Coordinates of all heavy atoms in Angstrom, one line a residue:
R7 N 11.1 -24.4 9.2 CA 12.3 -24.0 8.5 C 12.2 -22.5 7.9 O 11.1 -22.3 7.2 CB 12.6 -24.9 7.3 CG 13.9 -24.6 6.5 CD 14.3 -25.8 5.6 NE 13.2 -26.2 4.8 CZ 13.2 -25.8 3.5 NH1 14.0 -24.9 3.0 NH2 12.2 -26.2 2.8
T16 N 11.5 -14.5 4.3 CA 10.5 -14.2 3.3 C 9.7 -15.5 3.0 O 8.7 -15.5 2.2 CB 11.1 -13.8 1.9 OG1 12.1 -14.8 1.6 CG2 11.8 -12.5 2.1
R22 N 4.3 -30.6 9.5 CA 3.5 -31.1 10.7 C 3.6 -32.5 10.9 O 4.0 -33.3 10.0 CB 2.0 -30.7 10.3 CG 1.7 -29.2 10.3 CD 0.3 -29.0 9.9 NE -0.1 -27.6 10.1 CZ -1.2 -27.1 9.6 NH1 -2.0 -27.8 8.9 NH2 -1.5 -25.8 9.8
V29 N 3.5 -23.8 3.7 CA 4.4 -22.9 3.3 C 3.8 -21.5 3.4 O 2.8 -21.2 2.7 CB 5.0 -23.1 1.9 CG1 6.0 -22.1 1.6 CG2 5.7 -24.6 1.9
D58 N -9.4 -14.4 6.4 CA -10.9 -14.3 6.6 C -11.4 -13.4 5.5 O -10.8 -12.7 4.7 CB -11.2 -13.8 8.0 CG -10.5 -12.4 8.3 OD1 -10.4 -11.6 7.5 OD2 -10.1 -12.3 9.5
E99 N 3.3 22.7 -20.5 CA 2.3 21.8 -20.9 C 2.6 20.3 -20.5 O 1.9 19.7 -19.8 CB 2.0 21.9 -22.3 CG 0.9 20.9 -22.9 CD 0.6 21.1 -24.4 OE1 1.4 21.8 -25.0 OE2 -0.4 20.4 -24.8
T117 N -0.3 3.4 -1.3 CA -1.2 2.3 -1.3 C -0.4 0.9 -1.2 O -0.8 0.0 -0.5 CB -2.2 2.2 -2.4 OG1 -2.9 3.6 -2.5 CG2 -3.3 1.2 -2.2
G144 N 3.2 2.4 9.8 CA 3.8 1.4 10.6 C 5.4 1.5 10.3 O 5.7 1.7 9.1
V192 N 17.7 10.8 -8.1 CA 17.6 10.1 -6.7 C 16.4 9.3 -6.8 O 16.3 8.2 -6.2 CB 17.5 11.2 -5.7 CG1 17.1 10.7 -4.3 CG2 18.9 11.9 -5.5
D256 N 16.1 13.3 -27.0 CA 15.4 12.3 -27.6 C 15.4 11.1 -26.7 O 14.4 10.5 -26.4 CB 15.8 11.9 -29.0 CG 15.6 13.0 -30.1 OD1 14.6 13.7 -29.9 OD2 16.2 13.0 -31.1
P281 N -6.5 -11.8 -4.6 CA -7.3 -13.1 -4.1 C -8.3 -13.5 -5.1 O -9.0 -12.7 -5.7 CB -7.8 -12.6 -2.8 CG -7.0 -11.4 -2.3 CD -6.6 -10.8 -3.5

Side-chain angles (χ1 to χ4, degrees):
R7 179 165 60 93
T16 57
R22 289 174 169 170
V29 180
D58 57 40
E99 185 179 3
T117 307
V192 172
D256 289 339

